[in-house]
Amino acid sequence: MFFTPFVAIAQDEGALRRKPAVEDAASLGIGRIVPDLGIGPLSGKKTSLSALLKGRRGLVICMTSTECPLAVRYASRLAGIEDAYAKRGVVFVYVSCVEAEGAQGKQDAIGEQRSDGPYVADRRHEIQHGLASRTTTEVFVLDASRKLIYRGAIDDQFGVGRALDAARHTYLRDALEALLRGAQPPVPATWPPGCVLDPKPSATMPASDVTYYGRVADVLAKNCVACHRRGGVAPFSLETLPSVKGRFAMIEAVVRDRLMPPGHVLSREGDGESPWVDDYMLDDADREALLSWLGSDRAVGNRADGPTIPPLSQTWTIGEPDVLLTTPPLDLPEYGPLQYGRFIVPTAVERDAWISAVEFRPIERDSVHHALVWILSPGDALPRVTEMPLNLEFLGAFSPAGGVIEYPDGIARRLPGGSLLVVDMYASPMGRTKGSRLRTAIRFSKQAPRREVRSLIVAERSLRIAPGATASGHVAHLLSSAADIRAIMPYMRGRGKSMTVTAQPPNGEAEGILQIDRYDFRWPVRYERRTKLSLPEGARIEVAGQFDNSSAQVSNPDPLSAVEIGPRAGEEALLVAMEIESDVAGR
């Protein structure tokens, strides 16, 4: 008996479902017999599901990927579950079906995740399409007769931009315990968050005037390839058509939901030019062209029309640094929510110097979720570990969306001699114990600048949000002197939903500086203005933020607990760091 294709649970077209959810079992084939699919492992003889099940009590098919962050995070956990249940008569099979992932990466994955079951490169998608598998983390539990008794998520601890302190529901283990008792799993079907797999191609895909080489490659090169390239900070490459194949559905989902390119969903008024040098959002024309191509027959076009992508620089973006500083390692457990550590790093700069450029970069890709870096000048009080260092000069932030600040000639930031850096680092456990370290590269100006950049911090210092509740934060700052705003970085954490920053002059109407309709805590983005915003003395800068401490907020690490403002990963923040430019005294 063959699978009847599953019927997807109703959802927004193209939407990325970011956390596990219980689903309708009947529409997903629960109780049906899985076809006797062939299993061609990377090493060993070709076999089949029925042959693997001979003398066994059950079988688990695990979709996986060497480049999907969630699949990587779950790999060693799956190996641990396999180790526990293999001795009880359950065999595991690992299936990778993303065409762009190379054989060497798969071989490396076998060694790293310490799994024993066969690992299959499903290049023809026979297993994927035979199971109608949906994401790179979906697992299928079959009994000895090949009847499907569970499909879906491994557990509910992780999702896309989500990490609980521990799993509340261990779906796979629960299903295996039920299998061994001859019972039905308590939850037979769930949605497995991960990288969305391309469904079986339809013979009726509509045609589109947009081609890959005529338009799509340019859109990807302009908006995605800076991070998504071999050796880049993002987990897989989008540099070529072969590297894009197998990721069509995932690209469509994150673009449609405006989850990528990384950043926040900003309010836009009218059709005028954005006030920001780069607001990280796809412009409407590029977004429409990309979605049109992804939803069509995906015509290739003429290769000669494609863009030329420059090679990845093996040096620092800012050029050769004058100072290179590295934090001690933040030791990460194998699993868990976002981890936090504060490090004090000497600069070894004895005399005052002028910073013309700074770049933050982790030593190992994916090892740092984000980081905030502050300057502790001689005479400054060392901030308490329970406080955010709001009284210090803010140097900048790192996230995979950015970590480079460069000032034009004649503009620089002062680094007092004898200063230290205070680094608040946040990192995600990725399925293995390791240490995360951040490097800070600084380049100095050769001469004293005409204009100086300093930070202005507007931040909420006291706020408590009850479990499951929504809340608003509001804080204001009165300018004691005129200020030219050069750039702004908004900052919240996992419960942050939206933010508005406005300026109220002493005489005149309030002016909107920044409005974020949907905040994404993964990206502490620095927004640099195309032209400086000049505010007079006495202007009032107001920051308002909305928070959601319920389970409806996907990135909420713990909806069962109250939360307050603080530096730790599980706490909250409502902060805006502005770069204020002024004339250097005496110049």
Side-chain angles (χ1 to χ4, degrees):
M1 182 183 296
F2 288 88
F3 256 156
T4 299
F6 72 87
V7 177
I9 303 302
Q11 59 177 307
D12 294 337
E13 182 184 1
L16 180 65
R17 302 167 67 188
R18 298 175 58 187
K19 64 180 182 178
V22 176
E23 296 192 301
D24 177 65
S27 66
L28 292 170
I30 301 299
R32 296 182 179 273
I33 301 298
V34 172
D36 192 14
L37 300 168
I39 303 296
L42 289 177
S43 60
K45 297 180 179 180
K46 187 171 182 178
T47 183
S48 65
L49 295 181
S50 60
L52 289 171
L53 273 165
K54 189 173 183 180
R56 307 279 186 150
R57 302 178 67 182
L59 182 146
V60 181
I61 302 173
C62 311
M63 305 307 296
T64 189
S65 164
T66 63
E67 295 181 335
C68 168
L70 276 178
V72 171
R73 175 173 279 181
Y74 269 119
S76 62
R77 178 166 293 179
L78 274 175
I81 297 173
E82 177 188 9
D83 186 58
Y85 286 92
K87 60 189 71 173
R88 299 173 67 183
V90 180
V91 63
F92 281 62
V93 176
Y94 299 88
V95 180
S96 172
C97 60
V98 180
E99 297 174 40
E101 295 180 354
Q104 186 58 52
K106 295 178 174 65
Q107 293 288 357
D108 293 343
I110 295 171
E112 290 177 4
Q113 71 187 40
R114 306 182 303 277
S115 55
D116 296 321
Y119 193 110
V120 181
D122 188 27
R123 296 182 181 88
R124 297 182 179 179
H125 307 284
E126 294 169 342
I127 299 174
Q128 178 201 345
H129 295 157
L131 296 170
S133 55
R134 299 166 291 171
T135 75
T136 53
T137 65
E138 189 164 20
V139 294
F140 300 79
V141 179
L142 283 58
D143 69 11
S145 67
R146 299 202 314 278
K147 182 173 71 174
L148 181 67
I149 68 166
Y150 173 77
R151 69 178 294 177
I154 298 161
D155 57 43
D156 67 346
Q157 183 172 7
F158 303 120
V160 180
R162 167 190 173 91
L164 301 178
D165 55 351
R168 274 50 167 178
H169 301 281
T170 53
Y171 300 118
L172 177 56
R173 285 184 178 271
D174 293 347
L176 291 173
E177 288 297 327
L179 167 73
L180 297 176
R181 294 195 311 270
Q184 296 298 313
V187 177
T190 60
W191 169 257
C195 293
V196 182
L197 296 173
D198 295 341
K200 189 174 182 178
S202 169
T204 59
M205 295 288 280
S208 171
D209 294 335
V210 180
T211 66
Y212 175 79
Y213 288 114
R215 182 70 185 278
V216 171
D218 287 302
V219 173
L220 296 176
K222 182 172 67 173
N223 297 280
C224 310
V225 168
C227 298
H228 286 278
R229 60 184 305 164
R230 288 167 292 180
V233 296
F236 49 78
S237 170
L238 295 177
E239 296 172 272
T240 65
L241 181 58
S243 68
V244 172
K245 288 182 177 178
R247 299 189 170 106
F248 296 133
M250 186 63 179
I251 296 170
E252 181 176 16
V254 297
V255 169
R256 189 177 296 279
D257 283 2
R258 297 192 187 277
L259 293 174
M260 286 286 169
H264 313 296
V265 178
L266 306 182
S267 286
R268 286 178 167 174
E269 296 184 5
D271 299 323
E273 184 180 52
S274 169
W276 312 107
V277 172
D278 187 350
D279 68 7
Y280 295 87
M281 291 172 64
L282 277 174
D283 66 47
D284 290 341
D286 284 349
R287 183 170 180 267
E288 182 179 343
L290 181 54
L291 291 175
S292 172
W293 183 78
L294 289 167
S296 72
D297 57 0
R298 304 181 189 123
V300 173
N302 187 347
R303 187 184 185 93
D305 295 332
T308 299
I309 298 175
L312 180 67
S313 173
Q314 299 302 312
T315 60
W316 293 91
T317 303
I318 64 172
E320 187 66 26
D322 296 300
V323 173
L324 182 59
L325 308 171
T326 304
T327 66
L330 173 61
D331 294 328
L332 299 179
E334 189 173 16
Y335 295 108
L338 199 67
Q339 305 290 302
Y340 163 72
R342 173 172 290 171
F343 302 101
I344 308 299
V345 183
T347 63
V349 175
E350 297 179 355
R351 297 181 179 181
D352 288 9
W354 291 99
I355 298 173
S356 61
V358 61
E359 182 172 354
F360 308 107
R361 188 186 295 181
I363 286 182
E364 182 181 355
R365 193 195 77 183
D366 292 340
S367 64
V368 178
H369 184 281
H370 72 277
L372 308 179
V373 183
W374 313 74
I375 298 173
L376 181 70
S377 300
D380 287 341
L382 186 68
R384 291 186 294 179
V385 294
T386 57
E387 295 178 331
M388 296 189 69
L390 302 177
N391 296 325
L392 301 184
E393 184 76 9
F394 182 70
L395 179 59
F398 165 80
S399 82
V404 178
I405 302 173
E406 294 186 87
Y407 298 118
D409 290 342
I411 301 174
R413 180 192 289 275
R414 188 189 302 271
L415 180 67
S419 293
L420 309 172
L421 296 187
V422 176
V423 181
D424 280 349
M425 189 160 71
Y426 303 82
S428 299
M430 290 297 291
R432 67 185 190 276
T433 57
K434 65 177 181 179
S436 296
R437 294 189 292 171
L438 183 75
R439 295 178 292 179
T440 300
I442 299 175
R443 197 184 73 224
F444 295 127
S445 175
K446 305 305 180 186
Q447 58 187 15
R450 296 174 292 98
R451 303 274 285 174
E452 176 179 4
V453 173
R454 297 205 62 183
S455 67
L456 170 64
I457 306 297
V458 184
E460 176 69 77
R461 295 172 184 263
S462 178
L463 179 70
R464 187 180 189 277
I465 312 172
T470 59
S472 300
H474 183 271
V475 62
H477 177 87
L478 196 66
L479 290 179
S480 59
S481 60
D484 291 336
I485 298 176
R486 172 175 194 81
I488 179 172
M489 189 207 77
Y491 182 70
M492 306 171 85
R493 296 206 191 96
R495 300 166 182 85
K497 288 193 65 178
S498 62
M499 182 189 293
T500 301
V501 184
T502 58
Q504 175 68 62
N507 300 301
E509 296 184 359
E511 179 175 357
I513 298 178
L514 178 69
Q515 181 172 333
I516 298 174
D517 291 340
R518 190 179 71 206
Y519 184 86
D520 191 329
F521 91 114
R522 295 174 294 173
W523 322 116
V525 171
R526 172 184 180 265
Y527 292 100
E528 182 176 345
R529 292 186 59 90
R530 294 184 186 276
T531 58
K532 294 186 290 291
L533 175 63
S534 297
L535 297 177
E537 177 183 347
R540 181 182 176 89
I541 298 174
E542 298 192 8
V543 177
Q546 302 295 320
F547 298 88
D548 186 350
N549 195 19
S550 74
S551 58
Q553 179 74 356
V554 173
S555 56
N556 188 351
D558 186 4
L560 304 178
S561 299
V563 63
E564 297 183 353
I565 295 291
R568 290 183 285 265
E571 295 176 311
E572 262 308 328
L574 176 59
L575 177 156
V576 169
M578 297 184 179
E579 293 175 21
I580 305 296
E581 184 182 314
S582 61
D583 290 333
V584 176
R587 298 278 294 178

